[in-house]
Amino acid sequence: MPERQPMSEAMYYILLALRHPVHGYGIMQRVRELSGGRLVLGPGTLYGILTRMQGEGLIVLEGINGRRKVYTLTETGQEALLAEYRRLKQMVEDSSVLEEDV
């Protein structure tokens, strides 16, 4: 599998929100909650990213509930989320040298 590029913050939080199937508005709410209100996604941004992630095979449209489209992670999406988590965690660990300056 080719190495992935680092994810945008929005992509990371959307995948994190999709650990359980949810519709678009629910994704926006979960992202806001998970980020402590730091990241607020508008519909245009969200649906643009969802379309891109579907094309990359990271998520799938699980079904439609009324007018709401419900999305979920694929196995590839789960692997990408975990890889990005590990990358971010390693960056924080590597940055511990900054504490020496305090």
Side-chain angles (χ1 to χ4, degrees), residues 18-86:
L18 284 171
R19 291 183 356 251
H20 307 287
V22 67
H23 55 81
Y25 182 71
I27 295 169
M28 289 190 286
Q29 289 178 312
R30 283 189 185 172
V31 166
R32 183 178 288 180
E33 290 169 12
L34 289 166
S35 69
R38 255 185 337 94
L39 185 59
V40 178
L41 298 175
T45 300
L46 174 68
Y47 288 103
I49 293 171
L50 290 175
T51 298
R52 176 179 167 196
M53 290 194 303
Q54 279 183 281
E56 293 177 7
L58 301 175
I59 65 171
V60 292
L61 179 61
E62 185 174 88
I64 299 176
N65 183 1
R67 291 181 41 200
R68 295 179 171 182
K69 294 180 179 179
V70 177
Y71 299 90
T72 193
L73 283 179
T74 62
E75 187 174 326
T76 301
Q78 178 69 28
E79 290 169 2
L81 176 60
L82 289 172
E84 184 68 0
Y85 166 74
R86 290 183 189 111

